[in-house]
């Protein structure tokens, strides 16, 4: 990893669980909470609450905390977030990688202000789900071509619109950790593509954004559907994931995806790679 001016290399202080709990046993917690570093929390909703088992990110700055996604709504995320933020004087912004139900399902849990925080009541802002609402909140005037900054206080994120899996999809690049959060657009699993031309263009733009001087330490998405066997996934709706692929992907995964889409051309087709499967769907959700 080349050193970058103004960025502290804290990679030795970061961690992942050796293996995520897929959360299938009756006594597994509704959420597995893992501190990646002292300002970054990765939360995994247990498969036993919903087969999607989405990952949720909580990024702490000096002025606000950003919760990225609220899961399916089948588990009490609010309680987890309240505990994590307890005693911290931070506004909470609840935003989303995209508007699918397994990422916005818990939004209504955040409809009431927190009991701790600024002036006794934590301010909570829940960002809408549509591309229009997302663009308005983050100040993106030229959707999807414009990249904007979002400052949590001493922690600047770059917000990159990447529609294709979903019209309001965003990627977040965290300059301080050099993590690239890619939601459902790139993760170790089935990358469902509902709008092929938009997805191809989005991944090409994201790769170009990174290549233009944004070093990526790891790519983090919002599901695991691959097994540890290269190119082999768990079936759709699997309620157990024995021997899951790890969550984090090397930065080369983005390059690999961009090149595969470039080669695939204009006709949607399934592309199986070791760490992910590009899986085009019709607008009605039928495999192509
Ligand atoms: Zn999705
Ligand atoms: Zn999803």
């Amino acid at each position: 990893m080349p050193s970058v001016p103004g960025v502290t290399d804290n990679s030795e202080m970061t961690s992942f669980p050796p293996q995520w709990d897929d959360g299938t046993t009756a006594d597994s917690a509704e959420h597995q909470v893992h501190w990646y570093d002292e300002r970054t929390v990765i939360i995994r909703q247990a498969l036993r609450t919903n087969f999607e088992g989405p990952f949720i990110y909580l990024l702490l700055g000096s002025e606000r905390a950003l919760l990225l996604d609220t899961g399916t709504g089948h588990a009490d995320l609010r309680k987890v977030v309240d505990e994590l933020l307890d005693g911290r004087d931070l506004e909470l912004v609840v935003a989303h990688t995209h508007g699918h139900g397994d990422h916005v399902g818990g939004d209504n849990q955040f409809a009431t202000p927190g009991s701790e925080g600024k002036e006794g009541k934590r301010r909570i802002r829940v960002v809408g789900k549509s591309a229009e609402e997302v663009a308005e909140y983050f100040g993106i005037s030229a959707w999807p071509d414009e990249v904007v900054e979002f400052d949590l206080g001493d922690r600047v994120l770059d917000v990159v619109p990447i529609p294709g899996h979903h019209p309001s999809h965003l990627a977040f690049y965290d300059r301080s950790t050099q993590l690239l959060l890619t939601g459902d657009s790139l993760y170790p699993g089935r990358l469902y593509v509902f709008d092929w031309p938009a997805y191809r263009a989005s991944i090409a733009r994201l790769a170009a954004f990174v290549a233009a001087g944004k070093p990526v330490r790891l790519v983090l998405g919002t599901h695991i559907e691959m097994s540890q066997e290269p190119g082999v996934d768990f079936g759709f709706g699997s309620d157990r994931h024995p021997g899951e692929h790890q969550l984090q992907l090397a930065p080369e995964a983005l390059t690999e995806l961009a090149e595969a889409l470039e080669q695939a051309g204009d006709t949607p087709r399934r592309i199986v790679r070791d760490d992910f499967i590009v899986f085009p769907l019709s607008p009605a959700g039928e495999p192509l």
Side-chain angles (χ1 to χ4, degrees):
M1 180 63 57
S3 71
V4 177
V7 175
T8 311
D9 184 350
N10 66 343
S11 54
E12 278 158 29
M13 295 158 61
T14 64
S15 75
F16 289 95
Q19 182 83 45
W20 288 91
D21 179 4
D22 67 359
T24 55
T25 59
D27 61 351
S28 54
E30 282 191 339
H31 294 99
Q32 182 179 0
V33 176
H34 180 80
W35 286 86
Y36 168 76
D37 66 19
E38 59 186 14
R39 300 197 300 170
T40 308
V41 189
I42 309 176
I43 303 166
R44 204 254 176 105
Q45 186 181 329
L47 283 177
R48 71 172 173 82
T49 67
N50 185 277
F51 73 89
E52 295 281 9
F55 287 81
I56 294 159
Y57 296 87
L58 181 66
L59 309 180
L60 308 181
S62 61
E63 292 178 16
R64 55 191 68 84
L66 175 65
L67 180 68
L68 271 183
D69 295 353
T70 59
T72 69
H74 298 91
D76 190 350
L77 181 66
R78 175 64 187 266
K79 181 164 176 280
V80 172
V81 172
D82 277 352
E83 285 173 7
L84 289 168
L85 294 181
D86 187 40
R88 295 173 194 266
D89 191 19
L90 299 173
E91 176 191 8
L92 174 62
V93 175
V94 178
H96 314 96
T97 58
H98 65 293
H100 279 149
D102 51 325
H103 303 268
V104 303
D107 277 15
N108 58 7
Q109 297 176 13
F110 295 88
T112 54
S115 55
E116 302 288 333
K118 283 181 179 155
E119 292 145 19
K121 290 279 184 198
R122 186 183 308 286
R123 279 189 58 206
I124 300 181
R125 170 68 191 257
V126 181
V127 180
K129 297 179 284 195
S130 70
E132 291 74 18
E133 291 167 300
V134 167
E136 186 185 351
Y137 179 76
F138 288 105
I140 302 168
S141 48
W143 180 278
D145 296 313
E146 187 181 4
V147 177
V148 298
E149 294 179 11
F150 186 62
D151 193 351
L152 303 179
D154 302 316
R155 187 173 194 178
V156 175
L157 310 177
D158 293 291
V159 184
V160 187
I162 51 166
H165 169 77
H166 184 276
S168 72
H169 207 304
L170 297 173
F172 292 83
Y173 175 74
D174 180 3
R175 296 183 191 178
S176 68
T177 59
Q178 301 176 0
L179 294 175
L180 182 65
L181 306 180
T182 47
D184 275 10
S185 293
L186 176 54
Y187 65 88
R190 291 178 295 277
L191 311 178
Y192 294 116
V193 181
F194 291 88
D195 183 335
W196 184 260
Y199 183 73
R200 284 186 76 217
S202 288
I203 297 301
R205 278 199 319 277
L206 185 60
F209 162 81
V210 166
K214 295 292 195 286
V216 173
R217 182 169 289 150
L218 292 167
V219 173
L220 298 177
T222 37
H223 298 279
I224 299 174
E225 291 156 358
M226 302 304 286
S227 70
Q228 289 165 9
E229 200 173 328
V232 178
D233 56 336
F234 301 105
F236 177 80
S238 295
D239 58 1
R240 285 176 189 278
H241 288 182
E244 272 187 340
H245 193 290
Q246 62 183 16
L247 171 67
Q248 65 272 33
L249 293 171
E252 290 77 18
L254 176 61
T255 318
E256 183 180 359
L257 175 60
E259 288 174 358
L261 292 169
E262 169 86 36
Q263 287 165 14
D266 294 333
T267 307
R269 63 183 174 89
R270 201 173 302 182
I271 303 166
V272 179
R273 294 296 173 102
D274 286 359
D275 299 317
F276 57 80
I277 299 171
V278 178
F279 202 106
L281 296 173
S282 73
E286 298 294 323
L288 294 175

